[in-house]
């Protein structure tokens, strides 16, 4: 697990961005211990990374100073890593979804997940302004249900958007 107080979630990366470029960009505000670009099982980038700093102060400073900056010509969006996303995939009951329709509600996410099993929780991810960033989490009662959901939802069309799904 990444340390929640020292790590941030980086979104809207170019799919070609490598961990070294992420690390270099975020070293502007402090010592970076880890910079991981999240990938699908196929190896294709999700356009999202997790950066873990040596000190919590640096993570806070990155959120303040590097929000909206350009990394390889992409305007990046930063969030605190409140859920402690895992470094190495292992059996998980939680599915992280990106590129969701803006109009999707927590209830819509729950309904979507119920097609694959018992949903314990479903939440959209909101930005600082309280608006959706077109991402969300669905927690299932078993890792089998979560794995099934990822297989059925990843790179599928949903209300005109191609969504991505991965285990967390």
């Amino acid at each position: 697990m990444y340390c929640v107080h020292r790590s941030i979630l980086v979104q809207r990366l170019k799919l070609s961005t490598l961990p070294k470029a992420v690390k270099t960009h975020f070293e502007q505000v402090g010592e970076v211990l880890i910079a991981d670009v999240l990938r699908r099982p196929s190896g294709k980038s999700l356009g999202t990374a997790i950066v873990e700093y040596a000190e919590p102060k640096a993570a806070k400073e990155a959120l303040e100073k590097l929000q909206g900056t350009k990394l390889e010509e992409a305007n990046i969006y930063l969030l605190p890593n409140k859920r402690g996303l895992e470094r190495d995939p292992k059996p998980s009951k939680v599915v992280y979804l990106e590129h969701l329709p803006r109009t999707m509600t927590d209830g819509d996410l729950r309904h979507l997940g119920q097609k694959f099993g018992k949903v314990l929780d479903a939440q959209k991810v909101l930005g600082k302004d309280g608006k959706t960033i077109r991402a969300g989490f669905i927690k299932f009662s078993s890792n089998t249900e979560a794995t099934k959901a990822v297989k059925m939802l990843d790179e599928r069309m949903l209300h005109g958007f191609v969504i991505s799904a991965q285990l967390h």
Side-chain angles (χ1 to χ4, degrees):
M1 298 279 287
Y2 296 98
C3 177
V4 174
H5 303 292
R6 296 188 324 236
S7 61
I8 59 173
L9 193 63
V10 183
Q11 296 184 320
R12 300 182 186 158
L13 293 172
K14 289 177 68 174
L15 298 180
S16 60
T17 300
L18 298 174
K20 184 175 181 173
V22 174
K23 183 175 183 180
T24 300
H25 185 78
F26 284 89
E27 285 177 330
Q28 296 177 56
V29 296
E31 181 187 356
V32 174
L33 298 177
I34 300 165
D36 281 342
V37 173
L38 302 181
R39 299 187 178 281
R40 292 188 173 89
S42 67
K44 183 178 176 186
S45 173
L46 289 169
T48 300
I50 296 177
V51 174
E52 183 174 327
Y53 284 97
E55 299 293 328
K57 178 182 170 186
K60 183 178 180 188
E61 189 174 343
L63 290 167
E64 294 169 358
K65 293 186 176 179
L66 299 178
Q67 184 71 263
T69 58
K70 286 194 182 283
L71 175 55
E72 295 185 343
E73 300 176 16
N75 289 327
I76 57 174
Y77 185 81
L78 309 177
L79 292 166
N81 184 14
K82 292 182 180 177
R83 296 187 183 250
L85 301 179
E86 294 179 357
R87 194 175 297 146
D88 298 313
K90 60 182 179 183
S92 175
K93 298 177 185 179
V94 180
V95 175
Y96 176 66
L97 301 159
E98 283 188 307
H99 313 295
L100 298 169
R102 290 193 192 283
T103 57
M104 186 158 244
T105 66
D106 290 350
D108 294 334
L109 270 177
R110 180 176 291 277
H111 180 73
L112 178 65
Q114 288 170 340
K115 297 175 182 176
F116 309 104
K118 183 177 178 183
V119 174
L120 302 178
D121 190 21
Q123 293 182 337
K124 293 187 322 181
V125 177
L126 302 177
K128 286 183 179 180
D129 59 2
K131 295 180 181 177
T132 182
I133 61 164
R134 298 184 53 209
F137 291 91
I138 302 174
K139 184 175 184 179
F140 290 91
S141 63
S142 76
N143 60 338
T144 304
E145 294 167 342
T147 300
K148 181 180 176 184
V150 168
K151 287 180 182 176
M152 299 303 293
L153 293 173
D154 191 38
E155 297 185 2
R156 302 288 182 195
M157 186 72 73
L158 179 67
H159 304 295
F161 296 90
V162 177
I163 63 172
S164 65
Q166 78 171 36
L167 292 174
H168 276 287

